[in-house]
Amino acid sequence: MTPAARINAAIGILNDVLSGQPAEQALLSWSRKSRFAGSGDRAAIRDLVFEALRRRDSLAALGGGLHGRGLMIGLLRANGTDPATIFTGEGYAPETLSADEVTGGVPAAEATNMHDLPEWLWPQWQASLKEDALSAAHQMRSRAPIWLRVNPHKADPATIRDQLAHQGIETEKAPQSATALRVIEGERRVSGSQAYMEGWVELQDLSPQLACEMLPLSTGIRVLDYCAGGGGKSLALAARVDIEVTAHDIAPDRMKDLPARASRAGVEIKIAPTSPIDKKYDMVVADVPCSGTGTWRRTPDAKWRLKSDDLEAMIETQAQILRETAPLVRSGGHLAYMTCSVLERENEKQADNFLLHHPDFSEIARERWLNPRGSDGFFLSLMQRN
């Protein structure tokens, strides 16, 4: 496909997304109907769609309208390309620009200063991030880096870097972590690499890696990953030291790949039933459902689908999970409350409210990560039962 044909395809997909269809679903639907498109075409179109969604409002302002054409016109202008050179109407290119499209759009400086967040959320974002609010919002307009976690059960980071380089995957070490590698070239080769297939590395963002590294672990302790999902944190903790890790999730299907991943990584993860857990644990990790505001570089359409009612429901769910997990922590044990949110109401205020109503717990560490200290937005409140 030509660059113009790719942009034309992105226009149609974006119109579907703006009509309410999730981005991944819209991309998959287009791909199934477009068997002529090669893997390079599909990847390029995906990049166009996600780039447009990360900067939806500012690109719409630049392009003169909140629709597929407006977003692509805005993206071309933002990148210094005259849209008329792409919108030619020739072959599979988009139709030529209308008179309104030629003259429409705000000045580039005005678009640059927009926050590209839902208007209803912006006051909460500002209250949470204070003077860093706009810069943090602008971070969400860029593509997220790919991070790997080296599995120390299998190899050391230097060996892994060399092995990946032989397969065309260039990495750099993170100064904050001994086992975190940032992929700087060849990211699409990772999932097919020997290092990944044999469990030498796992895909995991830097921020949750740093959060897991902060948790106090010692040989033989019992750890419960209460909202395990795919099990990334279970694997990260089991790789650090010889401990007993149990994974639990209210939706067990989310953990269906975890046994195979654990076997590949050379660690043992127990899968807990969905019924109430009546044991006591030395460490309970609760990476709770949240707004995902810290991960919007990776899931930009989620930014625009989140509603105020959704956030309120999540905040109540978070409080409920904290109430459920507190009794599972043994005396002297730890409760690690985590989110991938940057919002104070889901993070600091949620932890403060729990501590207020649970005087038998005290907070021993509190961290919030965001680039450049971390990568994705992430929060940890580490509490100990007295």
Side-chain angles (χ1 to χ4, degrees), residues 112-126:
T112 299
N113 289 326
M114 296 176 67
H115 51 66
D116 275 313
L117 294 174
E119 288 297 336
W120 69 266
L121 184 65
W122 179 236
Q124 294 189 51
W125 187 281
Q126 286 181 299

Side-chain angles (χ1 to χ4, degrees), residues 325-339:
T325 52
L328 304 176
V329 182
R330 71 160 179 82
S331 177
H334 295 86
L335 174 59
Y337 173 74
M338 300 178 180
T339 79

Side-chain angles (χ1 to χ4, degrees), residues 27 139 213:
L27 284 161
Q139 285 182 33
E213 289 175 10

